[in-house]
Amino acid sequence: MASNAQCLFCRIASGDIPAKKLFEDDAVVAFHDVNPQAPTHVLVIPRAHIPSLDDMTDADADVIGTTILRVTKIARELHLETDGYRVIINNGVAAGQTVFHIHFHLLGGRSFGWPPG
Ligand code: 5GP
Ligand code: ZN
C-alpha cells in the first residue's frame, strides 16, 4: 500500500514529522518510541502503509519479512541479543494498538514478565 498523508507513522517515515531515527532503508524505518516502556524501546515499521495485521495480503509477505529481519539487526547493533529482548505487535484496539500502521515494538534493557498485561 502507498503512503497515507493522514498517518502519523507514514509522516515520520517520510520525514514530515520528526523522530529520533536510528535506521532506515528503502523498505523500513526505525525510531525511538516517544514514550519508552523499557530502557530501549524502538519502533520498526515498513514504509508501506499497512494499517494492521488483518490488512496484510500475500503481496506484503516480503516487506514484513524484511521488517522482522531489520528488527533483529537493530537488536544486535544495540547489543540486546545477549540478554534477550521482546518484540511486540499490538493488533487491534483490545490489544492496545493506537497507531494504525503496522509496527514492531523492540523492547530491551530489562526483564519482562509473562503473561503480558
Ligand atoms: P501501539 O499502541 O499502536 O502499539 O504503539 C504506538 C506507539 O507509538 C506507542 O508506544 C507510542 O508511545 C508511540 N508514539 C505515538 N506517537 C508517537 C510519535 O509522535 N513519535 C514517536 N516516536 N512515537 C510515538
Ligand atoms: Zn501509515
Side-chain angles (χ1 to χ4, degrees), residues 46-100:
R47 285 190 187 274
H49 179 76
I50 307 166
S52 78
L53 296 180
D54 303 307
D55 298 296
M56 283 179 53
T57 68
D58 285 3
D60 300 315
D62 280 356
V63 73
I64 294 301
T66 299
T67 308
I68 296 171
L69 283 168
R70 298 297 176 264
V71 170
T72 62
K73 170 187 161 64
I74 292 162
R76 276 195 302 279
E77 286 175 353
L78 297 175
H79 306 293
L80 298 178
E81 84 280 12
T82 313
D83 289 340
Y85 54 89
R86 185 163 284 182
V87 179
I88 296 171
I89 300 177
N90 296 321
N91 191 65
V93 173
Q97 184 175 6
T98 58
V99 179
F100 284 79

Side-chain angles (χ1 to χ4, degrees), residues 22-55:
L22 66 166
F23 176 85
E24 60 185 316
D25 64 15
D26 287 350
V28 173
V29 179
F31 51 95
H32 293 280
D33 196 295
V34 77
N35 182 23
Q37 302 300 312
T40 297
H41 187 170
V42 173
L43 300 173
V44 187
I45 68 170
R47 285 190 187 274
H49 179 76
I50 307 166
S52 78
L53 296 180
D54 303 307
D55 298 296

Side-chain angles (χ1 to χ4, degrees), residues 2-11 45-51 99-102:
S3 173
N4 177 332
Q6 268 75 54
C7 170
L8 173 64
F9 284 180
C10 283
R11 296 182 70 190
I45 68 170
R47 285 190 187 274
H49 179 76
I50 307 166
V99 179
F100 284 79
H101 178 132
I102 286 180

